Amino acid sequence: MIRRTDIEARLATRRFGRPLYWYDRIDSTNRELLEWAVRGAEEGTLLVADEQTAGRGRRGRQWIAPPGTGLLMSLLVRPRQAVGLLPLMTGAVLAETIEAVSGARATVKWPNDVLIGERKVAGVLVETVIQRGQQAAVIGMGINVNMQAHDFERVGMPATSLRLETGQIWEREDLLAALLPRLETAYDALQAGAWSLDAWRARAPMLGKPITVFEEEDAWYGVALDVAEDGALLVQTEEGVRAIYAADVRVRFPSSET
Ligand code: BTN
C-alpha cells in the first residue's frame, strides 16, 4: 500500500521530498522511481518504504532490512552536470546528518558507504536513465536505523545501526526531516559548480591508507591517495597511479581487514 504522509509539511526544502510517497511494502524504491522518471516525474520526488522485497545494493547485491527498521528511500534528480559525484556527495551528506542527529562520529568509504567506526550504517546506489535526451538520476539511500544485532545475520559485511550505536530507538521521520534540506543544499551547490569534494575528504579516514581493491575476480593492493573531480578513487600502486570507478575497497590494517 502507498500512503501520503504529513512529513512534507515538516520539510524545510523547496523541492526535495515534494511530493513524498511512503510504501508499506515494495520490491525496490529505486526500480519504481526509475519508472516514474521515464514517465516524467518531477525533480525532488521521493519514495520511502517500510519494507523492500528486492532492495537493490551496489554491484548487483541485495539490500536487506527487516520491515520498519531502516530508512529506505529513493530521490529523483535531473542533473545538468556532475552526475559522477552524486554518490560521493550523498555519502558525505548522509554522514554529516547521521552525526548531527545521533552524535555518533560518521565517516565515508569510497565510493558511497557511510560507516560508524568500521561498520557500515548506510549505503547509496545511484542509478540513471535517459529520457528524451535528458538525464535523470535516482539516488537510492538505505540507512540502518533501528536494527538490532541479530538483524544483520544475513548481511555479508560488518554493519551497525543508529540504535546499536546509541542505545536508543530513532524516529525515521526525524532523520528524514534532518537529511532532506542538507541534501537539497548540497545538490544545488553541486549543480552550481560550488560543491567541494573537501566535504567528502574531511570524512574519509581511508585516504592515505593501504587498501585492497576488489574488481570482478581481481584483487590488488595500493594506497588510497585521493578522489578525482569525476569521482574516481586514485590509488598509488608500484606501477603508478590508477583511477578506479567501480570496485569494492577495504582498508588494510596491520592485523585485519575491514
Ligand atoms: C549499497 O551500499 O550497496 C547501496 C544500498 C542502497 C539501498 C537503498 S534502500 C532504498 C533504495 N532502493 C533500493 O532498491 N536500493 C536503495
Side-chain angles (χ1 to χ4, degrees):
M1 199 172 98
I2 183 172
R3 60 185 190 270
R4 291 295 287 262
T5 68
D6 59 2
I7 300 171
E8 278 175 60
R10 284 179 55 189
L11 292 179
T13 58
R14 282 181 297 117
R15 305 183 321 284
F16 283 16
R18 302 176 188 284
L20 184 158
Y21 295 92
W22 199 301
Y23 289 82
D24 291 339
R25 194 171 203 237
I26 191 171
D27 53 351
S28 157
T29 54
N30 262 37
R31 188 216 43 78
E32 179 74 9
L33 192 54
L34 281 165
E35 283 190 17
W36 290 31
V38 173
R39 283 191 249 123
E42 58 193 311
E43 177 165 282
T45 302
L46 186 79
L47 305 185
V48 190
D50 281 334
E51 180 184 5
Q52 292 184 123
T53 53
R56 296 180 182 176
R58 282 183 58 241
R59 296 168 67 77
R61 287 186 284 253
Q62 206 188 339
W63 184 260
I64 298 168
T69 60
L71 184 51
L72 314 172
M73 63 197 155
S74 300
L75 173 72
L76 176 62
V77 291
R78 297 188 176 280
R80 298 173 305 284
Q81 59 171 341
V83 180
L85 289 183
L86 286 175
L88 297 183
M89 181 210 81
T90 305
V93 173
L94 282 175
E96 182 196 316
T97 307
I98 286 168
E99 187 167 311
V101 169
S102 74
R105 174 70 183 158
T107 61
V108 291
K109 190 183 84 158
W110 187 91
N112 45 20
D113 287 352
V114 180
L115 311 183
I116 296 179
E118 287 158 18
R119 295 177 175 275
K120 182 162 170 170
V121 70
V124 179
L125 176 67
V126 176
E127 299 186 87
T128 57
V129 66
I130 306 277
Q131 177 219 7
R132 292 199 201 98
Q134 201 212 351
Q135 183 149 242
V138 167
I139 305 176
M141 295 162 271
I143 308 178
N144 299 335
V145 183
N146 290 321
M147 287 84 165
Q148 297 179 274
H150 61 80
D151 291 323
F152 293 122
E153 278 161 11
R154 288 172 57 214
V155 176
M157 64 179 68
T160 190
S161 69
L162 292 188
R163 179 178 182 175
L164 285 170
E165 294 298 326
T166 63
Q168 77 182 79
I169 292 175
W170 294 89
E171 290 297 330
R172 290 169 298 160
E173 290 84 348
D174 293 344
L175 204 53
L176 187 60
L179 173 68
L180 287 181
R182 287 179 166 89
L183 209 48
E184 187 175 86
T185 301
Y187 175 76
D188 287 347
L190 184 70
Q191 291 306 295
W195 184 77
S196 169
L197 274 170
D198 288 347
W200 190 89
R201 292 185 181 106
R203 290 188 175 271
M206 66 181 289
L207 294 180
K209 301 245 170 67
I211 58 168
T212 309
V213 179
F214 299 90
E215 284 181 312
E216 307 298 336
E217 301 298 298
D218 199 21
W220 48 276
Y221 301 116
V223 173
L225 284 183
D226 199 1
V227 275
E229 286 301 322
D230 61 0
L233 181 67
L234 303 176
V235 184
Q236 181 73 59
T237 68
E238 284 179 2
E239 292 79 40
V241 177
R242 278 174 72 171
I244 56 171
Y245 290 88
D248 286 319
V249 302
R250 272 194 213 153
V251 176
R252 284 157 55 208
F253 292 98
S255 57
S256 66
E257 292 200 345
T258 60

